[in-house]
Amino acid sequence: MTIPKPLVQTNQAFIVIAVLTALLLHPAILLLPFAVGVYTLITKKNPVIQFSRRFLKKPMASYQQEDKDQQLFNQWIATICLGLSLLFFSVGIPLAAYAFAIMVIVAAGVALMGYCIGCTIRYRYMMWKHNRTA
């Protein structure tokens, strides 16, 4: 399965904006992208992407496609980091909380510019797994 790139970029922009807003206004806002992430991982359907489909002007297949499994892997990383950020905010360790939230902003922001950190991590993991069995 694949996902049109503009929908992936919309989700990345949502993450950047939501996490940045949370860090500037109130950490509780992190619950929004965290909840979207958890929902996505449970159902394999991202509500931001589902909502954004209606705004595509061309047929979905005419856009450059992104791998759905890769996007789920990236969602795992972002959701874990956001969960840790929320946890650290709640137990009074703001430095660690900011660090994990900023990692999410950087990863999603860099992905919007064309480099996928999660893709590199997954590729290296898959190569390590392959070399281990070979």
Side-chain angles (χ1 to χ4, degrees), residues 13-116:
F14 161 75
I15 291 170
V16 169
I17 292 166
V19 176
L20 193 57
T21 301
L23 296 183
L24 294 174
L25 298 179
H26 195 282
I29 297 170
L30 288 174
L31 287 168
L32 179 61
F34 178 73
V36 168
V38 169
Y39 179 84
T40 300
L41 295 172
I42 291 170
T43 66
K44 307 290 188 259
K45 293 181 181 176
N46 184 308
V48 173
I49 289 175
Q50 296 289 352
F51 177 77
S52 300
R53 284 181 178 200
R54 69 186 78 208
F55 300 107
L56 291 180
K57 295 184 181 191
K58 300 184 283 187
M60 290 204 348
S62 66
Y63 293 96
Q64 181 180 345
Q65 301 292 305
E66 298 281 340
D67 181 55
K68 186 175 184 176
D69 290 337
Q70 180 63 57
Q71 297 311 311
L72 286 171
F73 181 83
N74 295 346
Q75 190 70 61
W76 270 106
I77 295 171
T79 304
I80 289 168
C81 287
L82 291 172
L84 288 170
S85 182
L86 283 164
L87 174 70
F88 288 130
F89 273 121
S90 69
V91 297
I93 309 174
L95 187 61
Y98 277 101
F100 279 100
I102 290 168
M103 283 193 284
V104 173
I105 292 171
V106 169
V110 170
L112 281 167
M113 292 185 266
Y115 177 72
C116 176

